Amino acid sequence: MSGIRTRVPLFAALGLLALFALLTVSLTTGEMRIPAGTALRALVGLGDRGDVLVVQQFRAPRALAAIAGGAGLGVAGCVLQRLFRNPLASPDVMGVTGGASLGAVALLAAGASQTLIPVGALAGGLLSALLLGVFAWGSGLSVTRLVLTGLAVQAGLAAAVNLMIVRFPAELAGSALQWTTGSVYGRTWTEVWGAGGALLVALAAALVLHRRLAVLDLGDDSAGALGLNTATARLQLLLLAVVSASLAASLAGPVTFVALAVPHIVRFLTGPPTAVSLALAALTGAVLLLASDLVVQHLLPIEGLPVGAVTATLGAPWLLVLMFRQSSPVRRTHA
């Protein structure tokens, strides 16, 4: 226990330090290099007008979109995996990000403003959750059926998105395709403030509802004995995870791997889940997505590669390892 108490603040401190370092790199590097001090002053509107324009209008919104999107995915993945007691449960596996993509692309196809994308993504995410509930409710929300149904819903929604992209005008197809792969390129302050502010509210709600999640960890019988309405609590937490993932997708697109991996990383480094684990999941998701975007921008030779390509490359082997671990025989110990 003392080791865990030591690791948690250390992990939090290292995570904050890494996030600050990555944010500084994202503001200072690019075609025009800007010293760190100059970039931080430009972020608050001080200094040369050219530096202020580059930092405030191009680099800062992209970096903050990655931070907010990663945080939302981390929290959504953490809630879903604990809610369904399955390490494979995540928004991208269960169809939520597919629904968010459908809603956002539908708005783009209708010629709506970019500022409405968070609304479309949220509506699409809620639609996917509704479909998931309709198809899986008959089994009492069993984990196996839920995950399999989520994969089917995700595949169907992805097909619908691809059909719309094919029928797009040529000038819209490229931007829509890049967005659906997962990208924080071209984010604006309006999008960052809107979706990012809503994500802060969702994170606060997750911390408030953590006690219910902790009671559900004890099992439905024990939770019911403690006076918790398990059906209502599950619905509230599922809705919270869907909203967080959909808002994150509105900023970064349907990025894979982050929501799947973050809960495992946090649990491995800090031990059993607590309310602090949700905050650490948000921090870890932010670091992971921002780092992936910097890799896309500065370390890979392919220009214009979306961040989703990096996270998907990392996520495929991770998902296979988790599936093999889930299918391996359970070791039983006898007292």
Side-chain angles (χ1 to χ4, degrees):
M1 183 64 70
S2 60
I4 293 176
R5 289 177 179 175
T6 303
R7 287 203 303 268
V8 168
L10 178 61
F11 180 68
L14 291 176
L16 289 171
L17 183 62
L19 187 62
F20 179 76
L22 291 170
L23 179 59
T24 302
V25 171
S26 67
L27 296 179
T28 57
T29 56
E31 293 185 5
M32 184 176 75
R33 290 188 174 274
I34 302 175
T38 302
L40 293 176
R41 287 195 299 272
L43 183 61
V44 295
L46 301 177
D48 182 77
R49 288 186 177 182
D51 294 338
V52 171
L53 176 66
V54 170
V55 171
Q56 284 194 348
Q57 298 303 315
F58 299 106
R59 295 180 181 175
R62 178 170 184 164
L64 293 177
I67 291 172
L73 289 172
V75 170
C78 195
V79 170
L80 285 175
Q81 289 186 16
R82 288 182 63 187
L83 187 60
F84 298 114
R85 303 190 191 106
N86 191 305
L88 296 177
S90 71
D92 40 298
V93 172
M94 300 177 68
V96 176
T97 53
S101 296
L102 179 64
V105 171
L107 281 184
L108 288 174
S113 170
Q114 286 279 119
T115 58
L116 293 178
I117 283 184
V119 178
L122 180 57
L126 292 173
L127 172 64
S128 67
L130 178 62
L131 292 174
L132 187 62
V134 168
F135 291 129
W137 197 269
S139 64
L141 289 180
S142 72
V143 172
T144 301
R145 181 166 179 174
L146 198 66
V147 171
L148 291 175
T149 303
L151 290 172
V153 169
Q154 181 84 343
L157 294 172
V161 169
N162 290 334
L163 179 62
M164 280 194 291
I165 290 177
V166 169
R167 297 182 64 85
F168 265 8
E171 62 272 14
L172 293 178
S175 61
L177 184 60
Q178 183 186 50
W179 188 88
T180 56
T181 308
S183 175
V184 289
Y185 174 78
R187 295 285 79 83
T188 65
W189 281 111
T190 302
E191 294 170 301
V192 170
W193 283 118
L199 278 169
L200 281 177
V201 174
L203 177 57
L207 294 174
V208 170
L209 293 175
H210 176 267
R211 185 175 181 181
R212 299 182 184 183
L213 190 58
V215 174
L216 286 173
D217 286 342
L218 301 175
D220 288 355
D221 292 339
S222 298
L226 291 173
L228 181 67
N229 186 323
T230 57
T232 300
R234 286 184 187 280
L235 184 60
Q236 290 173 338
L237 291 164
L238 179 60
L239 182 61
L240 174 65
V242 169
V243 169
S244 298
S246 300
L247 291 171
S250 73
L251 286 172
V255 174
T256 58
F257 174 67
V258 176
L260 182 66
V262 163
H264 297 275
I265 295 172
V266 173
R267 187 163 54 248
F268 176 76
L269 293 175
T270 65
T274 63
V276 177
S277 300
L278 289 176
L280 292 178
L283 177 60
T284 305
V287 169
L288 187 58
L289 190 56
L290 182 57
S292 298
D293 189 50
L294 289 174
V295 169
V296 164
Q297 291 184 71
H298 306 299
L299 298 182
L300 296 180
I302 304 175
E303 185 176 355
L305 190 69
V307 67
V310 172
T311 59
T313 302
L314 294 172
W318 186 284
L319 181 59
L320 287 174
V321 169
L322 287 178
M323 291 178 67
F324 281 126
R325 289 183 61 185
Q326 283 293 98
S327 61
S328 62
V330 178
R331 294 182 179 178
R332 300 182 181 273
T333 58
H334 299 279

